[in-house]
Amino acid sequence: MRITVIGTGYLGATHAACMAELGFEVLGMDTDSEKVAALSAGLPPFYEPGLADLLRRQVNSGRLRFTDSYLDIRAFTAGAPAVHFLCVGTPQRPGADSADLRFVERALDDLIPQLTASGLVVGKSTVPVGTAERLAARIGARAELAWNPEFLREGFAIGDTLAPARLVFGVRTARAERLLRQVYRGALTRGVPLVVTDLATAELVKVSANAFLSTKISFINAMAEVCEATGADVTQLAQALSHDPRIGGQYLRPGLGFGGGCLPKDIRAFLARGNELGVERTLTFLREVDAINLRRRARMVDLTREQCGGSFRGKRVAAWGAAFKPGSDDVRDSPALSVAASIQLQGAEVTVYDPKAVDNAHRHFPELGYADSALEAATGADVVLHLTDWPEFQELDPALVGAVTTRRRLVDGRNTLDDQRWRAAGWTVRALGRPDRTVRAKAVGRFRGPVLSRPPDRSAPPPRRP
């Protein structure tokens, strides 16, 4: 069996390298000749832990190669069963919430002349439900179409491909299922759960998963808003909720919210598709999920302004983080950069540092300042912002950072720094969804009533009257 991968962006490059790692001969196809040249040299055009080594190893083995010409596909697959994976991006349509399917459609149209009847086209891109049926009609009798949605997490993409949590095959025939079982035989032998279903359900699995994860993140951030109004602590609330096996702790992390190239655009596209299907009222909650997520960014700006005395004019702000999440250099819809840019527009001088995403951030936000280290970014700062929770930031010495700042003020947008450790070094620490402990301590100090070190024992008998 030969495998081709159409589109070598984040999904496609990772999938191609992993398929070669499984022993298949793989041809990656992309119309971007510069990207093809880099991949052919074993250089991924983005950061993903472990991918550079895997890519170089498979290119050097001869099992993996890349091309910018669709004509090479027919020669590569001649005389052998072929599975063609569509891994083309589906960004948000400009000026609308719906998914832009032009790239998928164009890629398929260019692939169709190279197909043979023995070929199987497998969609992995995230698309609105109903797209696969339309694409199958576009292919006609030239080949068969199946859908095998991806569930990659940036920062964990290789493991998610080689050892997935589950596999979903949307198929029309037993032959399509059989070919996909051959592709994933290693994972299936190890007992990875498999769901075989129709095309529409396979499409819905991906968007439903993203909608659920987005809702879970926004739920705990909605609780953060309640905590800020009541003086409660959202991190302790989340910890208590996570012990309920029906809820669990994954994605129940309060903070600055989600971003990247998947969750935001996918829930908006799901809403748009719901409107087209006449079930817009069913998915209305996703609009509030999106709104809660965006409000966390605005609240982070407000908290920072408070720490700057009510105005950003003439203030210097250090922004630790630019990628939308650690383990990635992806800055698409990054909450960190959204906050940094908003503060800069309101008059502050903002300096950004990120272990991997500075170059990408600079391309998208050239007006911001950039540093080569966390300490350099913090030098002369009136306030330090923790915006992307890279492990590097948790390991910093608060005293060492405090020695280079103008004032020791920290706003933790990810709730992952040890606030007690920073306070012990003389820092004022604020965080999303958590009370101002300095203010609360002063309020407790003014209380003149009795202080109970522990709750009274309600089971003990009442004292006898003399």
Side-chain angles (χ1 to χ4, degrees), residues 461-466:
R464 292 183 180 179
R465 291 183 180 275

Side-chain angles (χ1 to χ4, degrees), residues 259-260 297 321-325 330-339 388:
R297 306 179 187 190
F324 86 96
K325 64 176 289 187
D330 192 346
V331 299
R332 290 175 294 176
D333 201 3
S334 166
L337 285 178
S338 175
V339 168
T388 307

